[in-house]
Amino acid sequence: MNRRHLMAGLGALMVMGGCTPSSQVDNVAGQASVYEDPSSSGRVQGVGIESQDVVAMTDEMMRDMLSNRILAARDVPPRIIIDNEYFKNESSSIINTNLLTDRLRVELNRAANGRMVFVGRHFADMVEKERELKRDGAVDGGTIRQTQATAGGDYRLGGRIASLDAMDRNSQTRSRYHQVTFEMIDLELGTIVWSGSYEMKKASQDNVLYR
Amino acid sequence: MKTLIVSALLAAGLVVTGCQSSMSKEEFQQRTEDTGYNTVIFTDYDLNRRFKDGLTGPDNVMRLSTTGHGIERTDTGTSQVWVELRNHTDFNYMVEARTSFYSQSGRPLDARPVWRRISVPANARAVYEEKSVSTDRLQYRVEVRQAR
């Protein structure tokens, strides 16, 4: 009887040992990455500024600027600087402000079609280096023209992202109100010739990490 | 006898299932009709829908509707579309709308349309506006859906 019990116990141990390998290959198809529409809410949503917000706010500002007489209806197209030099993020959201200023400049440049001229001030180093090489005679003068100096701007974009956070301690629901202001400054007079703002408030229980 | 009853019930079940999955004439028409230009379309059919809700149900079920829409030129020659939405429910609605612009001959023009959020308070109205980037004379088509 004892011997039979011993044999059964050993058999059970062998079976269990075979069933629990120390390592294994998960031989099933994984979750494939999917493309999502950047102008619509995606699977991962939090209370921060997301792609659909970037697209919506820059699109709205672009269309609004093109309906402004000072910026888009001059006989001589104004020279405009749009970069993030004077566009500050003072909110609790993590965002690269270049996402906003780059998209706004690119979309506006494409849509303006000559109604505005954009100065690439963020490429000033690149232009100066090439001009020096040309002036030193290291390279020829190119085929376009030579100018005394590079273009000065008439207007430059300034702006700010601000936020207000709130949290319900019982439900752990977090809400964040964003206010994003865009302003176009006259670079001689210092006046603000155009303003636009974008507001949004989001609430979420999910813990989303923005990087 | 028993087999006959079971078979009859199964057949009836199949028929009922078939009828439920088929689309009503009104719904099919709304989903496939030519929408034309200078129109507002509820692409989210839960917001505004014509359908048969059983034999005695309503023909038109709506949560939101449009009370007016139009297009006008801005100072710089671009176009501006406006749509007034009316919320018929006791709940605040967050909806998204986008405008596609077309030339007079019907060719899609202008910058790519982008969904914009609008809050329509309960039993109230809200206005959605969108500007074009082109200075051409344009036609428009506005699409409205529930925000996600």
Side-chain angles (χ1 to χ4, degrees):
Chain A
M1 184 68 179
N2 271 348
R3 201 171 165 184
R4 252 203 307 198
H5 278 153
L6 194 67
M7 291 290 281
L10 276 171
L13 273 174
M14 283 172 75
V15 167
M16 280 172 73
C19 286
T20 53
S22 57
S23 62
Q24 63 180 34
V25 174
D26 187 13
N27 192 17
V28 292
Q31 178 73 48
S33 61
V34 290
Y35 282 89
E36 292 183 329
D37 177 9
S39 64
S40 293
S41 305
R43 288 186 190 186
V44 182
Q45 288 186 65
V47 295
I49 298 174
E50 290 163 346
S51 69
Q52 70 273 15
D53 306 314
V54 171
V55 171
M57 77 174 84
T58 52
D59 186 80
E60 188 176 326
M61 297 306 133
M62 171 195 74
R63 292 173 189 271
D64 204 48
M65 279 190 216
L66 287 171
S67 67
N68 181 287
R69 284 184 68 85
I70 298 172
L71 297 175
R74 274 180 46 179
D75 293 336
V76 180
R79 291 178 188 166
I80 291 172
I81 304 169
I82 294 180
D83 56 20
N84 76 340
E85 191 66 33
Y86 296 97
F87 199 91
K88 304 297 173 202
N89 179 17
E90 296 175 1
S91 72
S92 44
S93 291
I94 295 171
I95 183 168
N96 180 349
T97 51
N98 275 323
L99 283 172
L100 297 170
T101 53
D102 284 358
R103 190 177 194 280
L104 180 59
R105 185 183 59 254
V106 169
E107 293 294 314
L108 197 54
N109 199 359
R110 286 168 60 86
N113 204 15
R115 282 174 279 178
M116 300 171 183
V117 172
F118 293 87
V119 178
R121 189 55 51 82
H122 53 300
F123 294 128
D125 278 2
M126 179 173 74
V127 178
E128 281 308 320
K129 275 181 192 164
E130 188 64 17
R131 282 173 66 87
E132 267 177 40
L133 288 173
K134 285 177 181 173
R135 303 299 180 267
D136 294 345
V139 297
D140 71 8
T143 59
I144 310 172
R145 67 191 167 285
Q146 290 208 335
T147 57
Q148 283 272 307
T150 54
D154 295 319
Y155 306 111
R156 188 166 194 163
L157 183 83
R160 187 178 297 153
I161 307 171
S163 68
L164 181 66
D165 283 33
M167 196 171 89
D168 182 335
R169 284 189 180 176
N170 293 325
S171 66
Q172 295 294 310
T173 302
R174 184 187 296 258
S175 89
R176 188 172 297 165
Y177 162 70
H178 281 99
Q179 187 185 66
V180 188
T181 54
F182 297 81
E183 289 175 310
M184 200 58 84
I185 318 297
D186 183 325
L187 291 174
E188 280 294 327
L189 212 53
T191 52
I192 299 170
V193 297
W194 171 88
S195 295
S197 77
Y198 189 92
E199 291 178 305
M200 58 179 181
K201 189 177 179 183
K202 290 182 180 181
S204 172
Q205 274 186 316
D206 298 331
N207 187 17
V208 173
L209 187 67
Y210 294 95
R211 291 184 190 176
Chain B
M1 186 64 181
K2 258 187 182 177
T3 320
L4 202 68
I5 291 169
V6 170
S7 300
L9 281 172
L10 273 172
L14 281 166
V15 167
V16 168
T17 314
C19 287
Q20 279 175 346
S21 65
S22 71
M23 200 176 274
S24 73
K25 198 177 167 186
E26 285 90 343
E27 187 182 342
F28 178 78
Q29 191 187 349
Q30 189 182 8
R31 283 181 181 272
T32 56
E33 71 189 352
D34 185 12
T35 46
Y37 299 110
N38 301 332
T39 49
V40 181
I41 308 153
F42 289 90
T43 57
D44 193 336
Y45 290 96
D46 283 341
L47 292 176
N48 191 316
R49 191 178 202 176
R50 291 194 301 274
F51 72 123
K52 272 186 187 163
D53 188 20
L55 292 173
T56 56
D59 291 333
N60 193 353
V61 172
M62 64 168 84
R63 294 191 170 102
L64 257 62
S65 67
T66 56
T67 51
H69 56 93
I71 189 167
E72 54 197 34
R73 304 300 280 268
T74 68
D75 289 347
T76 58
T78 58
S79 301
Q80 181 170 23
V81 164
W82 63 271
V83 177
E84 189 180 57
L85 294 165
R86 183 177 173 191
N87 184 350
H88 300 275
T89 73
D90 293 334
F91 305 93
N92 296 333
Y93 261 84
M94 185 64 83
V95 295
E96 291 180 330
R98 69 176 182 182
T99 305
S100 302
F101 288 100
Y102 301 86
S103 70
Q104 292 301 310
S105 62
R107 194 169 77 83
L109 272 183
D110 220 61
R112 198 173 43 214
V114 166
W115 292 107
R116 210 173 302 295
R117 281 171 190 260
I118 317 126
S119 168
V120 194
N123 296 304
R125 296 161 197 238
V127 176
Y128 158 77
E129 289 177 321
E130 183 68 297
K131 296 183 181 97
S132 74
V133 301
S134 168
T135 52
D136 296 343
R137 245 178 99 78
L138 299 169
Q139 305 182 90
Y140 63 92
R141 190 177 285 146
V142 179
E143 294 167 313
V144 182
R145 70 178 184 187
Q146 229 170 137
R148 282 169 288 173

